[in-house]
Amino acid sequence: QSALTQPASVSGSPGQSITISCTGTSSDVGGYNYVSWYQQHPGKAPKLMIYEVSNRPSGVPDRFSGSKSGNTASLTISGLQAEDEADYYCSSYTSSSTPVFGGGTKLTVL
Amino acid sequence: QVQLQESGPGLVKPSQTLSLTCTVSGGSISSGDYYWSWIRQPPGKGLEWIGYIYYSGSTYYNPSLKSRVTISVDTSKNQFSLKLSSVTAADTAVYYCARTSLTLLGYGMDVWGQGTTVTVSS
């Protein structure tokens, strides 16, 4: 299974919105509504931010939203805050009954 | 509140077998709603899913690691374990255990251990 494709880095200023893409195939992202997004601060374990493409676990701010079109999923963060600076990873269930992660995107808040 | 804690040697010699255990507290590993996963992260790199196990013992592995990986579960101890054989320096990473929700969160990994660093070196 190949890793999902994410941009290496994105940046934005406080208050702005950014979008991180996650591109796979019809055997993963495109085939299932089981896309998750994780936030990871340096030296910390990842935190689940979005599941099933667009659902937020309890406690995740509604500034975080997810969507999917075809083989590409997206994470949008609106009203950027300094604490949003982190690495973000997407993950998708696959036709092999296993998950696969994206390569990760470093978000810099300018 | 469910918590996960990894344990095991922090240093493993090349060609030997890496062995880690994840202890689940605050909940039962025998809950039918979850798979129990191992994920790793080499220094400065991204996350790599290694495999997961159901409480019944059913396992799924990353194809790229399948020949070297064994994940097992001990429901009496509320633990699951990872063994990775024939390790090389490329297996040096932070190893995480995580709970993977099947039905409630669509295969989302909602509870993670703090991670344990394993270095492969002679």
Side-chain angles (χ1 to χ4, degrees):
Chain A
Q1 55 190 32
S2 299
L4 307 176
T5 300
Q6 299 181 232
S9 63
V10 298
S11 62
S13 300
Q16 289 186 332
S17 295
I18 64 95
T19 296
I20 300 171
S21 61
C22 170
T23 301
T25 69
S26 58
S27 295
D28 38 63
V29 174
Y32 306 92
N33 287 325
Y34 291 143
V35 176
S36 302
W37 289 91
Y38 301 87
Q39 176 192 65
Q40 186 181 35
H41 288 110
K44 300 296 187 181
K47 175 186 177 182
L48 179 66
M49 305 300 284
I50 296 287
Y51 67 95
E52 290 179 340
V53 177
S54 60
N55 294 319
R56 285 186 307 276
S58 175
V60 173
D62 60 5
R63 302 185 295 104
F64 292 83
S65 62
S67 62
K68 190 184 83 167
S69 178
N71 296 337
T72 299
S74 298
L75 172 71
T76 297
I77 308 174
S78 58
L80 266 180
Q81 298 182 4
E83 59 261 36
D84 298 333
E85 184 163 293
D87 293 326
Y88 290 84
Y89 294 90
C90 62
S91 175
S92 175
Y93 182 75
T94 75
S95 58
S96 299
S97 301
T98 60
V100 62
F101 283 103
T105 298
K106 181 177 180 59
L107 168 62
T108 300
V109 181
L110 302 171
Chain B
Q1 180 180 355
V2 174
Q3 294 183 315
L4 306 182
Q5 178 67 57
E6 305 91 350
S7 60
L11 181 64
V12 181
K13 288 182 167 54
S15 80
Q16 294 191 341
T17 297
L18 177 160
S19 296
L20 297 174
T21 295
C22 183
T23 300
V24 180
S25 60
S28 173
I29 201 170
S30 298
S31 169
D33 289 328
Y34 305 104
Y35 278 121
W36 303 91
S37 292
W38 286 100
I39 300 103
R40 71 180 183 179
Q41 185 170 36
K45 296 187 177 182
L47 301 172
E48 180 180 33
W49 179 79
I50 299 171
Y52 51 31
I53 190 165
Y54 195 55
Y55 78 95
S56 63
S58 297
T59 53
Y60 292 88
Y61 299 132
N62 186 324
S64 68
L65 298 170
K66 188 174 183 177
S67 63
R68 299 194 292 130
V69 173
T70 301
I71 297 176
S72 58
V73 64
D74 186 336
T75 55
S76 67
K77 294 182 178 179
N78 230 28
Q79 295 176 334
F80 62 108
S81 299
L82 168 70
K83 291 188 185 299
L84 181 65
S85 64
S86 304
V87 298
T88 69
D91 296 309
T92 294
V94 176
Y95 285 76
Y96 295 99
C97 56
R99 185 177 78 172
T100 303
S101 174
L102 303 183
T103 55
L104 300 176
L105 300 174
Y107 292 86
M109 299 173 198
D110 65 331
V111 181
W112 292 66
Q114 65 185 25
T116 187
T117 299
V118 178
T119 302
V120 178
S121 175
S122 55

PDB file of all heavy atoms in Angstrom, chain A residues 61-101:
ATOM      1  N   PRO A  61     -12.296  21.797  18.175  1.00  0.00           N
ATOM      2  CA  PRO A  61     -12.989  23.038  17.783  1.00  0.00           C
ATOM      3  C   PRO A  61     -13.613  22.941  16.396  1.00  0.00           C
ATOM      4  O   PRO A  61     -13.080  22.263  15.505  1.00  0.00           O
ATOM      5  CB  PRO A  61     -11.859  24.079  17.800  1.00  0.00           C
ATOM      6  CG  PRO A  61     -10.812  23.511  18.668  1.00  0.00           C
ATOM      7  CD  PRO A  61     -10.876  22.031  18.489  1.00  0.00           C
ATOM      8  N   ASP A  62     -14.730  23.652  16.209  1.00  0.00           N
ATOM      9  CA  ASP A  62     -15.398  23.597  14.905  1.00  0.00           C
ATOM     10  C   ASP A  62     -14.663  24.399  13.846  1.00  0.00           C
ATOM     11  O   ASP A  62     -15.121  24.491  12.697  1.00  0.00           O
ATOM     12  CB  ASP A  62     -16.854  24.028  15.025  1.00  0.00           C
ATOM     13  CG  ASP A  62     -17.017  25.450  15.536  1.00  0.00           C
ATOM     14  OD1 ASP A  62     -15.982  26.146  15.704  1.00  0.00           O
ATOM     15  OD2 ASP A  62     -18.161  25.861  15.789  1.00  0.00           O
ATOM     16  N   ARG A  63     -13.519  24.954  14.187  1.00  0.00           N
ATOM     17  CA  ARG A  63     -12.657  25.597  13.195  1.00  0.00           C
ATOM     18  C   ARG A  63     -12.048  24.544  12.256  1.00  0.00           C
ATOM     19  O   ARG A  63     -11.580  24.883  11.168  1.00  0.00           O
ATOM     20  CB  ARG A  63     -11.523  26.360  13.878  1.00  0.00           C
ATOM     21  CG  ARG A  63     -11.987  27.428  14.845  1.00  0.00           C
ATOM     22  CD  ARG A  63     -10.827  28.232  15.405  1.00  0.00           C
ATOM     23  NE  ARG A  63      -9.910  27.474  16.237  1.00  0.00           N
ATOM     24  CZ  ARG A  63      -8.716  27.050  15.855  1.00  0.00           C
ATOM     25  NH1 ARG A  63      -8.282  27.287  14.619  1.00  0.00           N
ATOM     26  NH2 ARG A  63      -7.940  26.379  16.696  1.00  0.00           N
ATOM     27  N   PHE A  64     -12.051  23.307  12.732  1.00  0.00           N
ATOM     28  CA  PHE A  64     -11.505  22.204  11.945  1.00  0.00           C
ATOM     29  C   PHE A  64     -12.653  21.509  11.206  1.00  0.00           C
ATOM     30  O   PHE A  64     -13.644  21.115  11.814  1.00  0.00           O
ATOM     31  CB  PHE A  64     -10.793  21.195  12.842  1.00  0.00           C
ATOM     32  CG  PHE A  64      -9.532  21.725  13.461  1.00  0.00           C
ATOM     33  CD1 PHE A  64      -9.582  22.490  14.619  1.00  0.00           C
ATOM     34  CD2 PHE A  64      -8.298  21.464  12.890  1.00  0.00           C
ATOM     35  CE1 PHE A  64      -8.420  22.998  15.182  1.00  0.00           C
ATOM     36  CE2 PHE A  64      -7.129  21.952  13.445  1.00  0.00           C
ATOM     37  CZ  PHE A  64      -7.195  22.726  14.598  1.00  0.00           C
ATOM     38  N   SER A  65     -12.487  21.374   9.889  1.00  0.00           N
ATOM     39  CA  SER A  65     -13.516  20.709   9.101  1.00  0.00           C
ATOM     40  C   SER A  65     -12.866  19.860   8.025  1.00  0.00           C
ATOM     41  O   SER A  65     -11.744  20.121   7.587  1.00  0.00           O
ATOM     42  CB  SER A  65     -14.474  21.724   8.478  1.00  0.00           C
ATOM     43  OG  SER A  65     -13.780  22.573   7.587  1.00  0.00           O
ATOM     44  N   GLY A  66     -13.589  18.824   7.605  1.00  0.00           N
ATOM     45  CA  GLY A  66     -13.065  17.925   6.592  1.00  0.00           C
ATOM     46  C   GLY A  66     -14.066  17.707   5.477  1.00  0.00           C
ATOM     47  O   GLY A  66     -15.274  17.856   5.656  1.00  0.00           O
ATOM     48  N   SER A  67     -13.528  17.344   4.311  1.00  0.00           N
ATOM     49  CA  SER A  67     -14.377  17.070   3.159  1.00  0.00           C
ATOM     50  C   SER A  67     -13.656  16.087   2.236  1.00  0.00           C
ATOM     51  O   SER A  67     -12.482  15.756   2.453  1.00  0.00           O
ATOM     52  CB  SER A  67     -14.714  18.363   2.419  1.00  0.00           C
ATOM     53  OG  SER A  67     -13.529  18.965   1.917  1.00  0.00           O
ATOM     54  N   LYS A  68     -14.382  15.631   1.226  1.00  0.00           N
ATOM     55  CA  LYS A  68     -13.780  14.711   0.265  1.00  0.00           C
ATOM     56  C   LYS A  68     -14.437  14.896  -1.095  1.00  0.00           C
ATOM     57  O   LYS A  68     -15.658  15.101  -1.186  1.00  0.00           O
ATOM     58  CB  LYS A  68     -13.967  13.265   0.737  1.00  0.00           C
ATOM     59  CG  LYS A  68     -13.162  12.239  -0.074  1.00  0.00           C
ATOM     60  CD  LYS A  68     -13.455  10.818   0.380  1.00  0.00           C
ATOM     61  CE  LYS A  68     -14.711  10.279  -0.275  1.00  0.00           C
ATOM     62  NZ  LYS A  68     -14.848   8.809  -0.092  1.00  0.00           N
ATOM     63  N   SER A  69     -13.611  14.829  -2.131  1.00  0.00           N
ATOM     64  CA  SER A  69     -14.118  14.838  -3.501  1.00  0.00           C
ATOM     65  C   SER A  69     -13.297  13.837  -4.301  1.00  0.00           C
ATOM     66  O   SER A  69     -12.079  14.009  -4.457  1.00  0.00           O
ATOM     67  CB  SER A  69     -14.005  16.234  -4.117  1.00  0.00           C
ATOM     68  OG  SER A  69     -14.458  16.212  -5.460  1.00  0.00           O
ATOM     69  N   GLY A  70     -13.947  12.794  -4.770  1.00  0.00           N
ATOM     70  CA  GLY A  70     -13.239  11.763  -5.505  1.00  0.00           C
ATOM     71  C   GLY A  70     -12.156  11.106  -4.648  1.00  0.00           C
ATOM     72  O   GLY A  70     -12.425  10.643  -3.545  1.00  0.00           O
ATOM     73  N   ASN A  71     -10.952  11.092  -5.151  1.00  0.00           N
ATOM     74  CA  ASN A  71      -9.835  10.449  -4.446  1.00  0.00           C
ATOM     75  C   ASN A  71      -9.055  11.400  -3.550  1.00  0.00           C
ATOM     76  O   ASN A  71      -7.982  11.041  -3.053  1.00  0.00           O
ATOM     77  CB  ASN A  71      -8.872   9.816  -5.460  1.00  0.00           C
ATOM     78  CG  ASN A  71      -9.498   8.682  -6.258  1.00  0.00           C
ATOM     79  OD1 ASN A  71     -10.471   8.066  -5.808  1.00  0.00           O
ATOM     80  ND2 ASN A  71      -8.971   8.420  -7.438  1.00  0.00           N
ATOM     81  N   THR A  72      -9.556  12.615  -3.370  1.00  0.00           N
ATOM     82  CA  THR A  72      -8.862  13.612  -2.559  1.00  0.00           C
ATOM     83  C   THR A  72      -9.717  14.081  -1.395  1.00  0.00           C
ATOM     84  O   THR A  72     -10.845  14.518  -1.573  1.00  0.00           O
ATOM     85  CB  THR A  72      -8.459  14.822  -3.411  1.00  0.00           C
ATOM     86  OG1 THR A  72      -7.561  14.400  -4.446  1.00  0.00           O
ATOM     87  CG2 THR A  72      -7.758  15.875  -2.558  1.00  0.00           C
ATOM     88  N   ALA A  73      -9.133  13.970  -0.200  1.00  0.00           N
ATOM     89  CA  ALA A  73      -9.757  14.501   1.001  1.00  0.00           C
ATOM     90  C   ALA A  73      -9.052  15.794   1.391  1.00  0.00           C
ATOM     91  O   ALA A  73      -7.899  16.027   1.005  1.00  0.00           O
ATOM     92  CB  ALA A  73      -9.663  13.482   2.138  1.00  0.00           C
ATOM     93  N   SER A  74      -9.748  16.613   2.150  1.00  0.00           N
ATOM     94  CA  SER A  74      -9.181  17.902   2.549  1.00  0.00           C
ATOM     95  C   SER A  74      -9.508  18.213   3.998  1.00  0.00           C
ATOM     96  O   SER A  74     -10.603  17.898   4.479  1.00  0.00           O
ATOM     97  CB  SER A  74      -9.707  19.027   1.659  1.00  0.00           C
ATOM     98  OG  SER A  74      -9.342  18.834   0.309  1.00  0.00           O
ATOM     99  N   LEU A  75      -8.556  18.834   4.655  1.00  0.00           N
ATOM    100  CA  LEU A  75      -8.747  19.363   6.011  1.00  0.00           C
ATOM    101  C   LEU A  75      -8.644  20.882   5.914  1.00  0.00           C
ATOM    102  O   LEU A  75      -7.662  21.401   5.374  1.00  0.00           O
ATOM    103  CB  LEU A  75      -7.669  18.845   6.958  1.00  0.00           C
ATOM    104  CG  LEU A  75      -7.651  19.466   8.354  1.00  0.00           C
ATOM    105  CD1 LEU A  75      -8.860  18.992   9.163  1.00  0.00           C
ATOM    106  CD2 LEU A  75      -6.351  19.123   9.094  1.00  0.00           C
ATOM    107  N   THR A  76      -9.643  21.578   6.403  1.00  0.00           N
ATOM    108  CA  THR A  76      -9.631  23.034   6.417  1.00  0.00           C
ATOM    109  C   THR A  76      -9.618  23.518   7.859  1.00  0.00           C
ATOM    110  O   THR A  76     -10.396  23.031   8.695  1.00  0.00           O
ATOM    111  CB  THR A  76     -10.847  23.613   5.685  1.00  0.00           C
ATOM    112  OG1 THR A  76     -10.794  23.222   4.301  1.00  0.00           O
ATOM    113  CG2 THR A  76     -10.853  25.138   5.757  1.00  0.00           C
ATOM    114  N   ILE A  77      -8.726  24.436   8.140  1.00  0.00           N
ATOM    115  CA  ILE A  77      -8.682  25.078   9.442  1.00  0.00           C
ATOM    116  C   ILE A  77      -8.987  26.552   9.216  1.00  0.00           C
ATOM    117  O   ILE A  77      -8.268  27.239   8.487  1.00  0.00           O
ATOM    118  CB  ILE A  77      -7.313  24.929  10.113  1.00  0.00           C
ATOM    119  CG1 ILE A  77      -6.883  23.454  10.136  1.00  0.00           C
ATOM    120  CG2 ILE A  77      -7.355  25.473  11.540  1.00  0.00           C
ATOM    121  CD1 ILE A  77      -5.465  23.232  10.650  1.00  0.00           C
ATOM    122  N   SER A  78     -10.067  27.011   9.811  1.00  0.00           N
ATOM    123  CA  SER A  78     -10.429  28.414   9.673  1.00  0.00           C
ATOM    124  C   SER A  78     -10.062  29.171  10.950  1.00  0.00           C
ATOM    125  O   SER A  78      -9.910  28.562  12.020  1.00  0.00           O
ATOM    126  CB  SER A  78     -11.928  28.547   9.398  1.00  0.00           C
ATOM    127  OG  SER A  78     -12.674  27.948  10.437  1.00  0.00           O
ATOM    128  N   GLY A  79      -9.911  30.478  10.831  1.00  0.00           N
ATOM    129  CA  GLY A  79      -9.546  31.264  11.996  1.00  0.00           C
ATOM    130  C   GLY A  79      -8.268  30.756  12.644  1.00  0.00           C
ATOM    131  O   GLY A  79      -8.233  30.512  13.854  1.00  0.00           O
ATOM    132  N   LEU A  80      -7.221  30.599  11.836  1.00  0.00           N
ATOM    133  CA  LEU A  80      -5.966  30.030  12.321  1.00  0.00           C
ATOM    134  C   LEU A  80      -5.509  30.661  13.632  1.00  0.00           C
ATOM    135  O   LEU A  80      -5.580  31.897  13.808  1.00  0.00           O
ATOM    136  CB  LEU A  80      -4.870  30.224  11.287  1.00  0.00           C
ATOM    137  CG  LEU A  80      -4.581  29.117  10.286  1.00  0.00           C
ATOM    138  CD1 LEU A  80      -3.453  29.530   9.363  1.00  0.00           C
ATOM    139  CD2 LEU A  80      -4.282  27.805  10.985  1.00  0.00           C
ATOM    140  N   GLN A  81      -5.026  29.798  14.518  1.00  0.00           N
ATOM    141  CA  GLN A  81      -4.469  30.262  15.784  1.00  0.00           C
ATOM    142  C   GLN A  81      -3.052  29.718  15.914  1.00  0.00           C
ATOM    143  O   GLN A  81      -2.697  28.713  15.306  1.00  0.00           O
ATOM    144  CB  GLN A  81      -5.347  29.794  16.944  1.00  0.00           C
ATOM    145  CG  GLN A  81      -6.764  30.335  16.892  1.00  0.00           C
ATOM    146  CD  GLN A  81      -7.612  29.901  18.081  1.00  0.00           C
ATOM    147  OE1 GLN A  81      -7.143  29.244  19.007  1.00  0.00           O
ATOM    148  NE2 GLN A  81      -8.884  30.283  18.063  1.00  0.00           N
ATOM    149  N   ALA A  82      -2.286  30.378  16.746  1.00  0.00           N
ATOM    150  CA  ALA A  82      -0.881  29.996  16.914  1.00  0.00           C
ATOM    151  C   ALA A  82      -0.742  28.529  17.325  1.00  0.00           C
ATOM    152  O   ALA A  82       0.162  27.829  16.870  1.00  0.00           O
ATOM    153  CB  ALA A  82      -0.203  30.902  17.935  1.00  0.00           C
ATOM    154  N   GLU A  83      -1.667  28.062  18.153  1.00  0.00           N
ATOM    155  CA  GLU A  83      -1.570  26.682  18.652  1.00  0.00           C
ATOM    156  C   GLU A  83      -1.917  25.642  17.596  1.00  0.00           C
ATOM    157  O   GLU A  83      -1.742  24.437  17.831  1.00  0.00           O
ATOM    158  CB  GLU A  83      -2.470  26.486  19.885  1.00  0.00           C
ATOM    159  CG  GLU A  83      -3.928  26.759  19.648  1.00  0.00           C
ATOM    160  CD  GLU A  83      -4.322  28.151  20.124  1.00  0.00           C
ATOM    161  OE1 GLU A  83      -3.495  29.078  19.988  1.00  0.00           O
ATOM    162  OE2 GLU A  83      -5.459  28.285  20.624  1.00  0.00           O
ATOM    163  N   ASP A  84      -2.375  26.090  16.431  1.00  0.00           N
ATOM    164  CA  ASP A  84      -2.656  25.150  15.358  1.00  0.00           C
ATOM    165  C   ASP A  84      -1.375  24.732  14.634  1.00  0.00           C
ATOM    166  O   ASP A  84      -1.400  23.788  13.835  1.00  0.00           O
ATOM    167  CB  ASP A  84      -3.618  25.763  14.327  1.00  0.00           C
ATOM    168  CG  ASP A  84      -4.967  26.103  14.924  1.00  0.00           C
ATOM    169  OD1 ASP A  84      -5.371  25.450  15.920  1.00  0.00           O
ATOM    170  OD2 ASP A  84      -5.626  27.023  14.400  1.00  0.00           O
ATOM    171  N   GLU A  85      -0.285  25.430  14.907  1.00  0.00           N
ATOM    172  CA  GLU A  85       0.980  25.072  14.264  1.00  0.00           C
ATOM    173  C   GLU A  85       1.406  23.686  14.725  1.00  0.00           C
ATOM    174  O   GLU A  85       1.617  23.439  15.915  1.00  0.00           O
ATOM    175  CB  GLU A  85       2.067  26.094  14.591  1.00  0.00           C
ATOM    176  CG  GLU A  85       3.370  25.829  13.861  1.00  0.00           C
ATOM    177  CD  GLU A  85       4.295  27.039  13.859  1.00  0.00           C
ATOM    178  OE1 GLU A  85       3.957  28.058  13.223  1.00  0.00           O
ATOM    179  OE2 GLU A  85       5.379  26.937  14.496  1.00  0.00           O
ATOM    180  N   ALA A  86       1.509  22.770  13.764  1.00  0.00           N
ATOM    181  CA  ALA A  86       1.750  21.359  14.067  1.00  0.00           C
ATOM    182  C   ALA A  86       1.901  20.608  12.750  1.00  0.00           C
ATOM    183  O   ALA A  86       1.775  21.185  11.675  1.00  0.00           O
ATOM    184  CB  ALA A  86       0.588  20.770  14.867  1.00  0.00           C
ATOM    185  N   ASP A  87       2.160  19.315  12.868  1.00  0.00           N
ATOM    186  CA  ASP A  87       2.121  18.425  11.704  1.00  0.00           C
ATOM    187  C   ASP A  87       0.735  17.795  11.639  1.00  0.00           C
ATOM    188  O   ASP A  87       0.148  17.452  12.663  1.00  0.00           O
ATOM    189  CB  ASP A  87       3.180  17.334  11.818  1.00  0.00           C
ATOM    190  CG  ASP A  87       4.590  17.882  11.746  1.00  0.00           C
ATOM    191  OD1 ASP A  87       4.814  18.874  11.019  1.00  0.00           O
ATOM    192  OD2 ASP A  87       5.476  17.323  12.421  1.00  0.00           O
ATOM    193  N   TYR A  88       0.242  17.627  10.415  1.00  0.00           N
ATOM    194  CA  TYR A  88      -1.071  17.030  10.211  1.00  0.00           C
ATOM    195  C   TYR A  88      -0.944  15.830   9.270  1.00  0.00           C
ATOM    196  O   TYR A  88      -0.267  15.898   8.245  1.00  0.00           O
ATOM    197  CB  TYR A  88      -2.045  18.060   9.629  1.00  0.00           C
ATOM    198  CG  TYR A  88      -2.403  19.129  10.624  1.00  0.00           C
ATOM    199  CD1 TYR A  88      -1.582  20.245  10.822  1.00  0.00           C
ATOM    200  CD2 TYR A  88      -3.545  19.014  11.417  1.00  0.00           C
ATOM    201  CE1 TYR A  88      -1.886  21.213  11.765  1.00  0.00           C
ATOM    202  CE2 TYR A  88      -3.863  19.972  12.366  1.00  0.00           C
ATOM    203  CZ  TYR A  88      -3.022  21.072  12.539  1.00  0.00           C
ATOM    204  OH  TYR A  88      -3.336  22.014  13.485  1.00  0.00           O
ATOM    205  N   TYR A  89      -1.608  14.754   9.659  1.00  0.00           N
ATOM    206  CA  TYR A  89      -1.567  13.525   8.878  1.00  0.00           C
ATOM    207  C   TYR A  89      -2.987  13.084   8.544  1.00  0.00           C
ATOM    208  O   TYR A  89      -3.868  13.102   9.402  1.00  0.00           O
ATOM    209  CB  TYR A  89      -0.898  12.401   9.663  1.00  0.00           C
ATOM    210  CG  TYR A  89       0.568  12.629   9.941  1.00  0.00           C
ATOM    211  CD1 TYR A  89       0.978  13.293  11.092  1.00  0.00           C
ATOM    212  CD2 TYR A  89       1.539  12.181   9.051  1.00  0.00           C
ATOM    213  CE1 TYR A  89       2.324  13.513  11.342  1.00  0.00           C
ATOM    214  CE2 TYR A  89       2.894  12.396   9.300  1.00  0.00           C
ATOM    215  CZ  TYR A  89       3.267  13.067  10.444  1.00  0.00           C
ATOM    216  OH  TYR A  89       4.612  13.292  10.682  1.00  0.00           O
ATOM    217  N   CYS A  90      -3.177  12.668   7.309  1.00  0.00           N
ATOM    218  CA  CYS A  90      -4.440  12.041   6.961  1.00  0.00           C
ATOM    219  C   CYS A  90      -4.243  10.522   7.001  1.00  0.00           C
ATOM    220  O   CYS A  90      -3.114  10.016   6.981  1.00  0.00           O
ATOM    221  CB  CYS A  90      -4.927  12.466   5.574  1.00  0.00           C
ATOM    222  SG  CYS A  90      -3.842  12.022   4.194  1.00  0.00           S
ATOM    223  N   SER A  91      -5.347   9.822   7.097  1.00  0.00           N
ATOM    224  CA  SER A  91      -5.326   8.371   7.079  1.00  0.00           C
ATOM    225  C   SER A  91      -6.611   7.891   6.420  1.00  0.00           C
ATOM    226  O   SER A  91      -7.662   8.524   6.559  1.00  0.00           O
ATOM    227  CB  SER A  91      -5.225   7.816   8.503  1.00  0.00           C
ATOM    228  OG  SER A  91      -5.311   6.407   8.506  1.00  0.00           O
ATOM    229  N   SER A  92      -6.529   6.796   5.720  1.00  0.00           N
ATOM    230  CA  SER A  92      -7.708   6.220   5.088  1.00  0.00           C
ATOM    231  C   SER A  92      -7.721   4.713   5.248  1.00  0.00           C
ATOM    232  O   SER A  92      -6.674   4.057   5.226  1.00  0.00           O
ATOM    233  CB  SER A  92      -7.751   6.560   3.600  1.00  0.00           C
ATOM    234  OG  SER A  92      -8.838   5.915   2.952  1.00  0.00           O
ATOM    235  N   TYR A  93      -8.905   4.185   5.399  1.00  0.00           N
ATOM    236  CA  TYR A  93      -9.110   2.743   5.325  1.00  0.00           C
ATOM    237  C   TYR A  93      -8.897   2.339   3.874  1.00  0.00           C
ATOM    238  O   TYR A  93      -9.127   3.133   2.964  1.00  0.00           O
ATOM    239  CB  TYR A  93     -10.532   2.422   5.769  1.00  0.00           C
ATOM    240  CG  TYR A  93     -10.885   0.962   5.797  1.00  0.00           C
ATOM    241  CD1 TYR A  93     -10.417   0.129   6.797  1.00  0.00           C
ATOM    242  CD2 TYR A  93     -11.739   0.416   4.833  1.00  0.00           C
ATOM    243  CE1 TYR A  93     -10.774  -1.209   6.841  1.00  0.00           C
ATOM    244  CE2 TYR A  93     -12.097  -0.918   4.867  1.00  0.00           C
ATOM    245  CZ  TYR A  93     -11.610  -1.730   5.868  1.00  0.00           C
ATOM    246  OH  TYR A  93     -11.954  -3.055   5.904  1.00  0.00           O
ATOM    247  N   THR A  94      -8.425   1.104   3.667  1.00  0.00           N
ATOM    248  CA  THR A  94      -8.147   0.669   2.298  1.00  0.00           C
ATOM    249  C   THR A  94      -8.866  -0.637   1.963  1.00  0.00           C
ATOM    250  O   THR A  94      -9.403  -1.310   2.844  1.00  0.00           O
ATOM    251  CB  THR A  94      -6.637   0.437   2.081  1.00  0.00           C
ATOM    252  OG1 THR A  94      -6.263  -0.794   2.728  1.00  0.00           O
ATOM    253  CG2 THR A  94      -5.798   1.569   2.650  1.00  0.00           C
ATOM    254  N   SER A  95      -8.811  -0.995   0.710  1.00  0.00           N
ATOM    255  CA  SER A  95      -9.448  -2.226   0.243  1.00  0.00           C
ATOM    256  C   SER A  95      -8.774  -3.473   0.816  1.00  0.00           C
ATOM    257  O   SER A  95      -9.305  -4.577   0.680  1.00  0.00           O
ATOM    258  CB  SER A  95      -9.432  -2.278  -1.285  1.00  0.00           C
ATOM    259  OG  SER A  95      -8.108  -2.193  -1.766  1.00  0.00           O
ATOM    260  N   SER A  96      -7.630  -3.316   1.432  1.00  0.00           N
ATOM    261  CA  SER A  96      -6.942  -4.432   2.102  1.00  0.00           C
ATOM    262  C   SER A  96      -7.383  -4.591   3.554  1.00  0.00           C
ATOM    263  O   SER A  96      -6.789  -5.364   4.296  1.00  0.00           O
ATOM    264  CB  SER A  96      -5.423  -4.204   2.060  1.00  0.00           C
ATOM    265  OG  SER A  96      -4.956  -4.138   0.728  1.00  0.00           O
ATOM    266  N   SER A  97      -8.392  -3.835   3.953  1.00  0.00           N
ATOM    267  CA  SER A  97      -8.904  -3.854   5.334  1.00  0.00           C
ATOM    268  C   SER A  97      -7.883  -3.315   6.315  1.00  0.00           C
ATOM    269  O   SER A  97      -7.878  -3.702   7.497  1.00  0.00           O
ATOM    270  CB  SER A  97      -9.343  -5.264   5.761  1.00  0.00           C
ATOM    271  OG  SER A  97     -10.339  -5.762   4.908  1.00  0.00           O
ATOM    272  N   THR A  98      -7.006  -2.466   5.817  1.00  0.00           N
ATOM    273  CA  THR A  98      -5.977  -1.858   6.655  1.00  0.00           C
ATOM    274  C   THR A  98      -5.963  -0.359   6.420  1.00  0.00           C
ATOM    275  O   THR A  98      -6.427   0.118   5.388  1.00  0.00           O
ATOM    276  CB  THR A  98      -4.594  -2.429   6.315  1.00  0.00           C
ATOM    277  OG1 THR A  98      -4.301  -2.144   4.935  1.00  0.00           O
ATOM    278  CG2 THR A  98      -4.535  -3.933   6.521  1.00  0.00           C
ATOM    279  N   PRO A  99      -5.433   0.414   7.359  1.00  0.00           N
ATOM    280  CA  PRO A  99      -5.305   1.840   7.151  1.00  0.00           C
ATOM    281  C   PRO A  99      -3.960   2.208   6.526  1.00  0.00           C
ATOM    282  O   PRO A  99      -2.996   1.451   6.601  1.00  0.00           O
ATOM    283  CB  PRO A  99      -5.409   2.417   8.572  1.00  0.00           C
ATOM    284  CG  PRO A  99      -4.889   1.333   9.434  1.00  0.00           C
ATOM    285  CD  PRO A  99      -5.129   0.024   8.729  1.00  0.00           C
ATOM    286  N   VAL A 100      -3.924   3.387   5.907  1.00  0.00           N
ATOM    287  CA  VAL A 100      -2.679   3.925   5.373  1.00  0.00           C
ATOM    288  C   VAL A 100      -2.634   5.405   5.720  1.00  0.00           C
ATOM    289  O   VAL A 100      -3.663   6.082   5.696  1.00  0.00           O
ATOM    290  CB  VAL A 100      -2.557   3.700   3.854  1.00  0.00           C
ATOM    291  CG1 VAL A 100      -3.668   4.402   3.095  1.00  0.00           C
ATOM    292  CG2 VAL A 100      -1.175   4.120   3.348  1.00  0.00           C
ATOM    293  N   PHE A 101      -1.446   5.879   6.081  1.00  0.00           N
ATOM    294  CA  PHE A 101      -1.279   7.286   6.432  1.00  0.00           C
ATOM    295  C   PHE A 101      -0.760   8.078   5.235  1.00  0.00           C
ATOM    296  O   PHE A 101      -0.136   7.533   4.320  1.00  0.00           O
ATOM    297  CB  PHE A 101      -0.269   7.444   7.567  1.00  0.00           C
ATOM    298  CG  PHE A 101      -0.801   7.094   8.922  1.00  0.00           C
ATOM    299  CD1 PHE A 101      -0.468   5.887   9.519  1.00  0.00           C
ATOM    300  CD2 PHE A 101      -1.618   7.970   9.622  1.00  0.00           C
ATOM    301  CE1 PHE A 101      -0.951   5.555  10.776  1.00  0.00           C
ATOM    302  CE2 PHE A 101      -2.103   7.653  10.881  1.00  0.00           C
ATOM    303  CZ  PHE A 101      -1.772   6.444  11.453  1.00  0.00           C
TER     304      PHE A 101
END
